[in-house]
Amino acid sequence: MNKALFWDLQGTLGGEAVASLETFEPYPFSKEALTLSKNHGFRNIVITNQSKIGKGLLSKETYDKEASRILDYFNSDGVLLDEFLCCPHTSEDNCNCKKPKTGLMELCREKYDLDIKKCFVIGDMGKNEIVMAHNAGCMGVLVLTGGGRKSLGEFRHTWAEHEADIIAENALEAVKMILRK
Ligand SMILES: [Mg+2]
């Protein structure tokens, strides 16, 4: 298994594009999407930007609690999520892990010996997920849940030099379309 789907969290697997993690509720189809990709040999890796931590608006304790609540939901009847990784930094921190930077993808590529050309990044914000996909050398899937429609509309200028390789209604449709590629 040397391929992976890199998932955005909020607006993609549940919740809203910009909201606090405490209000995150998974979408009803997310488990099915993750199961389908697992069954086709993909690892499922979540990468989430949580700059609220860096800004002091979300404590590490609250983050840990919410992250384990979300992991419990997805991994309760078998491990659907192989990794749940977070960048806690703000733009000013100049880290290498804040999407669309590829630091956390690189970490996983080494850990799992991933063939990055067989991987996809899936998310609702073109400027983060589609640009990170292309920065890493893989394909990017934009979902229309969360901020997806706005990302294709009023925020299209924030990732103007890029095109989504796939546009999907939601996470489950995204996996189905990936499997047809
Ligand atoms: Mg998102």
Side-chain angles (χ1 to χ4, degrees), residues 8 10-12 17 124-125 129:
D8 171 51
Q10 287 158 293
T12 301
D124 68 321
M125 279 198 192
E129 286 87 34

Side-chain angles (χ1 to χ4, degrees), residues 41-173:
F42 287 95
R43 291 187 185 279
N44 289 314
I45 295 168
V46 166
I47 296 181
T48 176
N49 281 355
Q50 296 292 335
S51 60
K52 284 190 173 121
I53 297 174
K55 291 174 185 160
L57 300 172
L58 174 65
S59 72
K60 187 73 175 58
E61 292 70 32
T62 305
Y63 170 80
D64 287 343
K65 187 168 131 256
E66 296 304 324
S68 56
R69 172 176 71 89
I70 295 165
L71 269 173
D72 283 351
Y73 171 81
F74 284 114
N75 289 353
S76 55
D77 344 286
V79 177
L80 293 178
L81 291 181
D82 295 282
E83 297 280 348
F84 191 94
L85 303 170
C86 158
C87 166
H89 302 111
T90 68
S91 311
E92 292 75 50
D93 291 331
N94 260 321
C95 63
N96 73 348
C97 55
K98 187 173 166 65
K99 292 185 280 189
K101 292 183 183 173
T102 58
L104 294 173
M105 283 184 77
E106 280 302 312
L107 208 71
C108 295
R109 187 180 61 77
E110 283 171 33
K111 179 169 177 181
Y112 297 113
D113 192 26
L114 296 173
D115 180 350
I116 218 73
K117 287 186 214 66
K118 292 183 187 164
C119 298
F120 294 79
V121 180
I122 305 166
D124 68 321
M125 279 198 192
K127 75 179 172 79
N128 286 351
E129 286 87 34
I130 304 300
V131 178
M132 178 172 76
H134 295 167
N135 286 345
C138 66
M139 283 196 266
V141 184
L142 190 84
V143 288
L144 297 179
T145 48
R149 287 178 200 281
K150 280 189 178 171
S151 195
L152 278 177
E154 63 182 287
F155 297 119
R156 188 65 182 89
H157 65 279
T158 60
W159 54 296
E161 303 92 74
H162 296 260
E163 292 283 342
D165 299 285
I166 296 175
I167 296 175
E169 201 60 40
N170 59 42
L172 180 56
E173 289 306 312

Side-chain angles (χ1 to χ4, degrees), residues 12-29:
T12 301
L13 290 174
E16 291 162 46
V18 183
S20 80
L21 210 51
E22 292 102 312
T23 63
F24 180 92
E25 290 303 331
Y27 297 140
F29 46 76

